[in-house]
Structure formats: structure tokens, C-alpha cells
Amino acid sequence: MRVTFCQGLLSGAIVLNLLILYFVSRAQQQMMEKRKDFGRGSRRAGLQASNLAAGLAGPVGGLAGGGAAGPEGNSRGPRVTVLLREFEHFENYVGEVARSFLRLRPELPFLAVADTLPYPPLELPEGGARLLVLFPSPDQPPQAHRPEFHVQTEFVLLVPDGVELEQGRAVERLIRELEGEGGGPVRLVAAPVQARSAAQCLHLRVSLREWTATYTAAAAGSSGSVCTALQGDAVVLLRSEDLFNLSVPLGRPLFPSLFVQTSLRGWKVKLLESPLFSARRRPLFSSAHNQWKADSGLREAAGRLMRGFGLKRLLLPDGKEQWHGCGKETARCFGTVRDDTPDYLYTDRWTPPCCLRALRETAKYVVNILEGSGVRYWLEGGSLLGAARHQDIIPWDYDVDLGVYLEDVPNCDQLKNLDSGSLVDANGYVWERAVEGDFYRVQYSEANHLHVDLWPFYPRNGVMTKDTWTEHKQDVEFPEHFLQPLVPMPFAGITAYAPNNPRAFLELKFGEGVIENPQYPNPARKRLDRSRL
């Protein structure tokens, strides 16, 4: 068969295209392999860069999986990185802790972690101990300050300052305990520290919606306690993958940060009965002044941590409370409310507990003054609804509403002269005529604008009315017989006066079934998920 010039040209083009596709495919495959190698190399480079940034000499050690095999017989290298996070710059024993571990387990990488470069500088043993500074430096790559690039082992052992390793097999004991849980809810294993404050197992319940963490004591079991948090000195083992899947893996203080996050994920910690580690340094600090500095720094760090996590109130095992929200000397925890929907509702949270506390205090204060002045008042709007539903402020409400008889206003010294300006009374409460309309407002303080609103009504032909109205649907006229007589009603820890038929009064203002069917103030903006109540 005769082949024409055109056919030959076409055949040659086809063969050439096939050759080009073959070589392109080979080139892409080689490029992917180089990228994988580069990725592994860049992680090692990040580790080396952090060594230079911290001013430390010596090899990276077994962090990338190399190094001598440990007693567990793992030829792939060490399985655990020892990590020391909690120490004070002005006095610490980080070097001694590192030496105690490296003396018995020289193959285990040891990592000291600080927010900023310690001063005075740490004196770490050469070889397997390194320092990681978390605060980024503009001349270093991002991985130089990210801990997940510096821990290349399967497990992380979190040790407190001053702890020493005296039993070489103690680490393996913790690994066996954790692996024995078979991937269940126990994701951390801890051992007490001998000659230190006794480690205690706690149950921790965190409610982000209520901005609250509640600690209670947990009962010990026959083979150790299983709980959701620890208090005291302990060494904790967990998988590196679990640690670095937390939002803030190495926050300070370490235990509160760690267990708030793990409890929200449903993880548990197993506390062994017998100590596996010791501490010769007792007390940890050599002077009362240094102890005071450490305690003060820890309180400040705890405050920053809890505010960052959005936890305003801590209930401790001894029944005491810690508050990390607003007070009289600070602004309230939320800004101007728009569309009747405070900003916290958009994050699926309710009113911060410190704000509810301030509202209760203000309501009690105002009610006492009104009653002492002979001013007739009653619970209005959402406050009456909260009293009927909870005997308290509605959990997502942001103010308190009271109705008052306009004719009684001159009886109250704090109210009668507000046309000439606001009044700050002897207890720091601010009394003022509201700029939004013809009503009065009592603020918690000059700095904190949490408030009670006083709405003046007057009777006309048997109907309670007023001269100015808001756009709220509940701001309507109503028959005076609801106020004749007024009746006492529990509200926010006090007994306040209310309309004599609260249900009928509320259904007149809000609609039928309002008590049994809770909803946010403006469902068009944000609706309440009743399944979560």
C-alpha cells in the first residue's frame, strides 16, 4: 500500500505527541516526588532555623524520627518527646529536668517551650535538649515558632518544672496505660509527682453558652481515677496528634488550658495511683518574693486564658468562684445592642454571667430605693416574662424593665431632678433621663452601662398609657386593673411587685403562650434553638 506524504506527516505527528505525553508524565511524577522530599526537608529546616533563632547549638536529635532505639525496642526511633511548658524566667530548674531525662533516656528529645526568649537565658544540656520560642520573629519562617513542627514523635510527655526522671521505664508504663485504653474516651494518662502537691482528679463541665466552667471533685477508682481534669502536680502523656488538634495546644496555665479543650471534646484523663516521677525541689521557689511573683503571673495568665476562651465564671471544687468578666470599673462585656439582638447571641451564647450578676445587683438596688421612696412600680416586659418563666432574668436578656407611676416620680430624690442632668449616687450608680425617649435609666456605674429602665405610665379612663412609645411590640397600653393591686413575685433573688395576673398581662403584650414558648427578642435576626434548652 502506498503511503502519501500527508499520511506520513500525520503518523509522525501522532508518534511525536505520544512521546511528548510520555516525557511530560515522567516529569510530573518526578516533580511530585521532589515536592514530597522538599516538604520533609523544609520541616527539618524549620527545626534547624528555630535552633538558630533560640541561639542553641547541637543537632535536632531524634525529632524527625532518627536517633538511637529506646528501651521499648523501637528501631524507628523514639516514640516520645519530653515537653516542659510551665516555668518562670526569673527562677527555674529546666536545665536540671532536661539532664535528669537525658541521663536515663538520652534518645528522647527534650523541648522547653516559652512564649518569649527567657532572660536570664536557659542553660540546657547540649545534645538532645532545645528551646522553642512561640512568639514569632520577622526574620524566621513560620514553622520556626510552631510547636507541631518540633514534635515528630507519636507521643508527648508534659512535665512540670523541677520534676526528675528516676525510673527509666516510667515513660513506657504511661505508654502501655494509654495504648491499653484502645482508643476510647481516655486520651490522656497522668502520673502523680512524688514530694509535690498531691494530684487530684476533677470533673470539669464547660458551658460556652453560659460562659462558665464548673469543677467538682471526682472519686478515685481501684486502679486509678478517670476524670476530665487534674489539679496539682502531675506528668501527662498524650498523643502528639491529639495535642496539636487542640485550638490552643500549649496555652498557659497549661492544665486549665489543656483540660478546658479536652473536656469540650469528651476526652478523659486517667490518673495513676502511684507516683512515677519525683521532685527534689520543694518548694519550687527559693524565696517568698519569687513565689509571689510566680503566683501573680499565673493569675494574670489564667485571666488572659479564660477571657480568650470566653469563660467569665469559674466554679471551683471548694465552692469558691473566680470571675473574669466585667465589673463596676470596666465596660460591660458587649457593645451597643442593635435590632434587639446583642452580639453574643450570634455566637450561640447567652448573657455573660458577670452581666447577669450586675443586672441583679442593680435591680435589687433600684427596687429598694423605689419602695423606700413610695414609688409604685411593677415588673415590665421581658423582666416580667423572666420572673414568670425563671423567677429570674431571662438567660439571654441584657437589661431589666420596670414600670412606674408617673405621678410618683417626684417622691424619689434620685429621679425628680434628672431634667437638669444625670446623677451619680453615693454607691456609684448613674441615674439619668434616657436619650432614646421619655423614660429613666439607672446604670450599674459610669464605666459599666448595664442598666434598669424605668417606664413612666399614667392612668387615663382606666387605661395605663404614656406620652412616648418605642417600636417594641410589647410597648402598648393596658388596663389599670392589672395594677390594682400589685402582687409580690420572686425575681432575680429578691421579691418585686408585678401585675396581679402576670399571664394575662404578658399575653396581652407578647401574644398567647409566650411563657411556654421562649424565643429571642428578634427572631428575624436570630432564632432560639429550643432543642438545646
Side-chain angles (χ1 to χ4, degrees):
M1 184 180 73
R2 185 180 177 183
V3 179
T4 66
F5 174 77
C6 291
Q7 289 173 332
L9 185 62
L10 179 61
S11 300
I14 292 173
V15 171
L16 179 62
N17 283 334
L18 290 174
L19 289 172
I20 291 172
L21 287 173
Y22 170 76
F23 285 111
V24 167
S25 176
R26 285 290 305 274
Q28 287 178 336
Q29 184 177 1
Q30 291 173 358
M31 186 178 297
M32 291 178 64
E33 292 175 354
K34 287 182 178 180
R35 284 179 178 175
K36 290 180 181 179
D37 292 340
F38 177 77
R40 288 190 290 265
S42 66
R43 297 185 81 177
R44 297 190 187 100
L47 298 180
Q48 294 165 355
S50 68
N51 284 341
L52 293 174
L56 298 175
V60 170
L63 296 186
E72 60 265 33
N74 184 356
S75 59
R76 293 181 291 110
R79 302 181 68 188
V80 180
T81 296
V82 182
L83 192 150
L84 199 160
R85 175 67 172 111
E86 291 281 7
F87 64 91
E88 299 294 344
H89 293 195
F90 52 84
E91 183 177 7
N92 62 73
Y93 303 95
V94 177
E96 294 183 14
V97 176
R99 279 185 283 273
S100 79
F101 275 86
L102 295 176
R103 183 173 59 253
L104 295 179
R105 301 299 301 273
E107 83 287 353
L108 296 184
F110 185 95
L111 191 63
V113 180
D115 293 313
T116 59
L117 190 65
Y119 178 80
L122 294 180
E123 296 182 1
L124 294 174
E126 296 183 1
R130 296 184 309 107
L131 170 67
L132 167 63
V133 176
L134 297 179
F135 194 82
S137 176
D139 62 337
Q140 295 295 326
Q143 61 265 32
H145 305 277
R146 291 168 53 183
E148 63 269 27
F149 282 90
H150 298 255
V151 177
Q152 300 298 303
T153 54
E154 183 180 357
F155 299 97
V156 177
L157 189 71
L158 305 175
V159 299
D161 192 12
V163 168
E164 297 183 359
L165 180 65
E166 293 185 341
Q167 306 173 38
R169 307 289 303 184
V171 178
E172 281 64 46
R173 166 75 188 282
L174 291 175
I175 293 176
R176 288 195 301 271
E177 290 284 350
L178 187 55
E179 291 182 329
E181 295 297 330
V186 173
R187 307 286 279 269
L188 308 94
V189 173
V193 176
Q194 192 172 9
R196 276 284 182 87
S197 61
Q200 181 184 4
C201 226
L202 303 174
H203 286 310
L204 171 59
R205 176 186 172 272
V206 178
S207 174
L208 295 180
R209 185 177 68 181
E210 298 171 338
W211 311 73
T212 300
T214 304
Y215 293 87
T216 54
S222 58
S223 59
S225 303
V226 173
C227 51
T228 52
L230 296 178
Q231 178 178 274
D233 288 308
V235 173
V236 177
L237 179 85
L238 72 164
R239 289 180 173 83
S240 304
E241 181 182 10
D242 286 344
L243 177 64
F244 295 119
N245 275 331
L246 300 178
S247 301
V248 186
L250 295 175
R252 287 197 69 217
L254 183 59
F255 275 10
S257 172
L258 181 66
F259 293 119
V260 164
Q261 297 175 86
T262 58
S263 65
L264 283 169
R265 290 160 173 77
W267 301 356
K268 296 183 182 297
V269 55
K270 182 176 183 180
L271 178 63
L272 305 184
E273 290 182 337
S274 57
L276 297 179
F277 302 86
S278 63
R280 295 180 184 175
R281 300 291 178 178
R282 186 182 182 188
L284 186 60
F285 300 101
S286 59
S287 68
H289 177 70
N290 279 359
Q291 182 67 61
W292 171 82
K293 284 177 62 177
D295 292 342
S296 299
L298 203 61
R299 283 193 297 270
E300 292 176 4
R304 288 192 299 268
L305 177 76
M306 294 306 161
R307 287 189 291 271
F309 282 170
L311 293 174
K312 309 289 188 185
R313 182 189 184 205
L314 272 61
L315 299 174
L316 304 178
D318 58 5
K320 296 181 180 178
E321 293 178 302
Q322 286 183 2
W323 294 88
H324 299 285
C326 59
K328 264 192 178 293
E329 306 304 320
T330 67
R332 68 184 184 183
C333 296
F334 55 95
T336 301
V337 177
R338 304 185 185 278
D339 300 321
D340 300 324
T341 307
D343 56 13
Y344 49 79
L345 290 185
Y346 292 108
T347 63
D348 293 321
R349 296 190 181 219
W350 289 352
T351 310
C354 48
C355 296
L356 291 174
R357 179 180 65 169
L359 285 174
R360 293 185 187 107
E361 291 178 9
T362 308
K364 179 180 180 180
Y365 183 78
V366 172
V367 162
N368 285 338
I369 287 180
L370 295 178
E371 291 180 354
S373 303
V375 176
R376 289 168 291 174
Y377 74 91
W378 61 94
L379 294 169
E380 257 290 350
S383 297
L384 178 61
L385 184 57
R389 193 184 288 154
H390 310 284
Q391 298 185 343
D392 201 350
I393 299 168
I394 294 175
W396 51 83
D397 207 353
Y398 50 88
D399 63 6
V400 171
D401 292 308
L402 300 176
V404 297
Y405 270 88
L406 178 61
E407 63 188 89
D408 293 345
V409 167
N411 298 338
C412 179
D413 292 338
Q414 288 85 347
L415 292 175
K416 64 183 180 182
N417 295 319
L418 293 183
D419 288 339
S420 59
S422 61
L423 166 71
V424 181
D425 68 20
N427 294 294
Y429 292 89
V430 181
W431 299 71
E432 63 184 5
R433 182 180 288 277
V435 297
E436 302 98 313
D438 188 18
F439 64 98
Y440 303 99
R441 175 165 289 161
V442 185
Q443 294 184 164
Y444 187 48
S445 71
E446 292 184 273
N448 192 325
H449 295 173
L450 289 161
H451 56 264
V452 173
D453 286 336
L454 304 175
W455 303 91
F457 286 82
Y458 59 89
R460 184 174 62 192
N461 300 324
V463 175
M464 297 301 293
T465 188
K466 54 193 178 80
D467 294 330
T468 60
W469 302 90
T470 68
E471 296 180 356
H472 297 103
K473 66 177 183 179
Q474 69 269 22
D475 193 19
V476 296
E477 297 178 331
F478 58 92
E480 189 180 12
H481 67 72
F482 281 111
L483 310 180
Q484 296 176 343
L486 293 166
V487 297
M489 193 170 188
F491 174 71
I494 62 174
T495 299
Y497 283 106
N500 53 53
N501 189 340
R503 176 176 291 277
F505 187 87
L506 288 168
E507 293 189 343
L508 170 68
K509 294 207 165 197
F510 291 98
E512 187 177 354
V514 65
I515 297 176
E516 292 79 17
N517 297 287
Q519 188 50 262
Y520 288 153
N522 189 347
R525 289 293 183 181
K526 179 69 176 178
R527 293 191 64 84
L528 172 66
D529 182 1
R530 297 181 188 173
S531 66
R532 297 183 60 191
L533 292 177

